[in-house]
Amino acid sequence: MSSADLLNDLTVRPHPDDALCLQAVTAGYGSQPVFDRLSLQLQCGRIVGVLGPNGAGKTTLLRLVLGLLAPVSGTVAVLGRELRNDADRAWARLRIGYVPQIQSPTALPITVADSVLLGRWGRSFRFLKRPSREDREVVHETLALVGIAELAERDLATLSGGQRQRAALARALVRRPRLLLMDEPTTYLDREAQRELVHLIERLHQRLHITTLVVTHGLEAGWRFDRTVRLSGGGLDD
Amino acid sequence: MTEALELLSIPVIRHAFLGMLIAGATLSTLGVVIVSLHLMALRFTLMHVGLLGAAAGMSLGFSATAGAFVLVPTASVLMGTLGQRFRFTASSMTGFFMTGSLAGAFLLLARAGVPAMDVFGIFAGNILMLTRVDVVMVGVLGAVVVLAFVVGYREIQAVLLDRDLALALGVPVEAVIAGMFLLLGAAVAIALRLVGALLVDAIILLPGIAALRFARGFGSALLLSSLFGTIACVGGFVVALQFDLPIGASAAAVSSGLLGVSALVTRGKGRS
Ligand SMILES: Nc1ncnc2c1ncn2[C@@H]1O[C@H](COP(=O)(O)OP(=O)(O)OP(=O)(O)O)[C@@H](O)[C@H]1O
Ligand SMILES: [Mg+2]
């Protein structure tokens, strides 16, 4: 696989459905709702910023989209398919690349390449089916795409914050996602590294047209989104 | 050398040797899981549950070992699943189970009139009483552990790396965790039989910690812990025969020595 093949492979064609559609969603933990009848519609192909202070529910929104949290009432639809049962959620998870908040160092020794390979789980291998040579090639090309090819065999725990975010981005990309969710990708990075990462993400978005949702608590890092939504007090403003 | 081979022709010695060899080579890999999932307190609790199992087994008229064998894996799986369902951390769960099982053990003993010393025998292990059936059980568990790592290699890796991420990828996280807890419980029960409660760590923890000092990837961590576990168990066995010492204690001594040396060799760059 060449890098041109990879770029073609990753590129998302235009799609008429909404990437995301939440209707009157009430959701939270225990009896305390985080969202009260929240509605949100996102067109395919955009890069959208979700802003809000600590505790506003940014991560909770992503958990709803991933089907990790079920709404108390209302509906969540991903790429035109409403998440009603396990099959819907599995379907959605196959099409979503997720970069979680804070990649805390892990006690598990794992090479960067192996950690990225995990992004292919469910897509091209699972349980008895082992990763193929093509999977490994995709991992290598993608590491090159995010600029850390030379770190492939390093232990993930020994990477710097910025390098770790790039590895997490690569792991999300090897899934060939239609929708990319990133939870505060620039926290813990210095100004320079923040700007570089923002630039990388914007460049990838322009080239690949993957619908991208970036959670962040501010715009200081130099983000230029197609649209920004602000979460606060259980509701949302554009 | 010939003398050693002659010793191995004695069934009791042969069983002990095979038991230690298999346990050392296979169960030791679980140490990597214990460290990565922060389950230090869990395996300590399981030893106490073993005591309750022994007490229950003896009061019900079975053997202490049979009781431990049923109860330890059951408790382990319960702790894993209850912990997830009720959002307890593993360490809070262990507090509950540790005290609960000790209380249960003492109450049972008082009621049934079993001599406490018999139950506490489980702390010492009894490797020279290993029967052929015991050796087969060690072999079966060892095979299951290896199979689990072969079949579920990527899934286990994903869960150990980041549970939320694994969920988002669609990995059946609950099943993987329940499986790991079940294997851990079974391994602790077997190790109780081999080296006794106090030395379980020599087999299922220390080799894993030593391996994590060197390993850069998951696969190498598993292979190294298996290698260290084998050295500790076989080495301990040979030392014990040579100097006429207890086998469990000798294996524990070799295991601790190995960890000490690994710590020295890798000082300044280790991770565990
Ligand atoms: N597992 C949980 N159990 C109970 N409450 C939770 C849980 N996770 C989050 N909450 C609560 O839900 C609310 C929203 O949390 P969320 O993590 O979505 O905020 P956030 O906007 O991502 O904040 P941050 O910027 O700090 O990451 C907070 O009040 C938080 O305390
Ligand atoms: Mg958050």
Side-chain angles (χ1 to χ4, degrees):
Chain A
M1 157 158 313
S2 70
S3 61
D5 288 343
L6 178 75
L7 287 173
N8 281 331
D9 223 31
L10 282 172
T11 303
V12 174
R13 329 255 165 258
H15 196 274
D17 285 329
D18 282 329
L20 210 58
C21 182
L22 282 76
Q23 284 183 317
V25 168
T26 300
Y29 307 89
S31 57
Q32 187 73 7
V34 177
F35 299 127
D36 184 21
R37 302 186 59 77
L38 176 91
S39 293
L40 171 67
Q41 221 168 335
L42 281 187
Q43 282 178 300
C44 274
R46 301 295 179 85
I47 178 163
V48 175
V50 176
L51 274 73
N54 290 132
K58 304 182 297 294
T59 300
T60 304
L61 178 67
L62 300 188
R63 293 175 57 85
L64 276 168
V65 174
L66 284 160
L68 297 178
L69 181 72
V72 180
S73 63
T75 59
V76 177
V78 175
L79 301 162
R81 179 160 168 173
E82 192 183 324
L83 307 185
R84 287 178 223 248
N85 52 36
D86 284 348
D88 298 327
R89 285 185 276 273
W91 183 90
R93 286 171 191 163
L94 277 183
R95 289 158 181 80
I96 298 177
Y98 174 47
V99 178
Q101 186 169 17
I102 322 171
Q103 273 73 54
S104 51
T106 155
L108 173 83
I110 185 169
T111 60
V112 172
D114 264 5
S115 81
V116 171
L117 186 63
L118 287 177
R120 302 280 284 179
W121 194 90
R123 259 226 163 276
S124 55
F125 66 86
R126 63 174 63 201
F127 288 110
L128 287 167
K129 193 161 177 287
R130 317 272 296 198
S132 64
R133 233 187 65 203
E134 194 199 326
D135 288 320
R136 287 174 203 288
E137 282 172 15
V138 170
V139 166
H140 257 85
E141 286 297 336
T142 310
L143 281 172
L145 187 66
V146 301
I148 52 170
E150 72 287 359
L151 301 178
E153 292 311 313
R154 279 267 292 276
D155 182 347
L156 185 68
T158 65
L159 263 49
S160 75
Q163 293 167 336
R164 214 173 288 164
Q165 286 294 359
R166 281 165 195 254
L169 177 59
R171 185 171 56 221
L173 287 174
V174 293
R175 218 166 167 68
R176 294 219 293 130
R178 298 268 311 276
L179 177 60
L180 191 56
L181 306 178
M182 291 196 257
D183 202 346
E184 313 226 12
T186 56
T187 22
Y188 299 124
L189 304 190
D190 64 34
R191 269 296 153 88
E192 186 59 27
Q194 283 190 1
R195 238 171 250 144
E196 275 174 26
L197 189 71
V198 168
H199 188 66
L200 171 69
I201 292 169
E202 285 179 352
R203 214 157 27 93
L204 287 174
H205 179 259
Q206 274 162 20
R207 176 67 186 76
L208 306 172
H209 313 295
I210 302 172
T211 311
T212 305
L213 199 69
V214 180
V215 159
T216 170
H217 51 247
L219 294 170
E220 310 83 42
W223 293 104
R224 284 167 309 175
F225 296 120
D226 294 335
R227 177 182 168 197
T228 50
V229 292
R230 202 171 289 276
L231 285 178
S232 59
L236 169 161
D237 328 300
D238 263 79
Chain B
M1 193 63 208
T2 45
E3 209 177 317
L5 285 178
E6 256 167 51
L7 278 175
L8 281 181
S9 67
I10 306 169
V12 173
I13 305 274
R14 195 171 59 237
H15 291 160
F17 176 76
L18 284 175
M20 291 297 278
L21 172 66
I22 300 170
T26 59
L27 305 189
S28 53
T29 53
L30 292 170
V32 175
V33 174
I34 296 179
V35 176
S36 304
L37 279 181
H38 308 288
L39 297 179
M40 294 292 187
L42 174 83
R43 104 288 169 207
F44 191 58
T45 305
L46 291 180
M47 299 170 201
H48 291 77
V49 175
L51 197 66
L52 173 62
M58 293 183 82
S59 0
L60 292 173
F62 302 107
S63 69
T65 317
F69 248 99
V70 173
L71 215 59
V72 175
T74 311
S76 185
V77 173
L78 266 180
M79 279 190 270
T81 47
L82 287 182
Q84 287 190 74
R85 195 131 312 154
F86 294 99
R87 296 206 157 267
F88 272 122
T89 62
S91 14
S92 318
M93 290 303 292
T94 56
F96 170 74
F97 270 80
M98 182 140 69
T99 315
S101 53
L102 273 183
F106 288 129
L107 292 175
L108 268 178
L109 291 179
R111 246 309 129 89
V114 177
M117 275 327 286
D118 290 1
V119 172
F120 279 94
I122 200 164
F123 277 119
N126 43 7
I127 187 145
L128 289 177
M129 309 249 294
L130 230 52
T131 62
R132 206 181 171 137
V133 175
D134 290 326
V135 175
V136 169
M137 281 179 73
V138 181
V140 169
L141 178 63
V144 173
V145 168
V146 172
L147 198 70
F149 279 120
V150 170
V151 172
Y153 185 81
R154 301 289 163 186
E155 289 73 16
I156 296 169
Q157 207 180 28
V159 171
L160 296 186
L161 178 64
D162 180 338
R163 212 177 286 201
D164 252 13
L165 175 79
L167 281 170
L169 289 172
V171 175
V173 172
E174 273 202 34
V176 170
I177 289 189
M180 287 290 103
F181 275 62
L182 178 66
L183 290 181
L184 262 175
V188 167
I190 292 261
L192 279 173
R193 179 98 170 99
L194 294 177
V195 292
L198 296 176
L199 300 177
V200 164
D201 283 355
I203 296 182
I204 65 163
L205 184 61
L206 301 199
I209 296 182
L212 286 170
R213 307 274 317 179
F214 295 99
R216 224 178 24 173
F218 188 46
S220 54
L222 294 178
L223 290 177
L224 272 177
S225 60
S226 168
L227 175 70
F228 291 158
T230 308
I231 295 175
C233 287
V234 173
F237 190 88
V238 171
V239 168
L241 285 196
Q242 193 70 41
F243 301 101
D244 195 17
L245 293 167
I247 293 173
S250 307
V254 176
S255 198
S256 314
L258 259 177
L259 180 54
V261 171
S262 328
L264 272 181
V265 172
T266 57
R267 64 181 178 282
K269 61 174 186 178
R271 58 188 303 143
S272 58

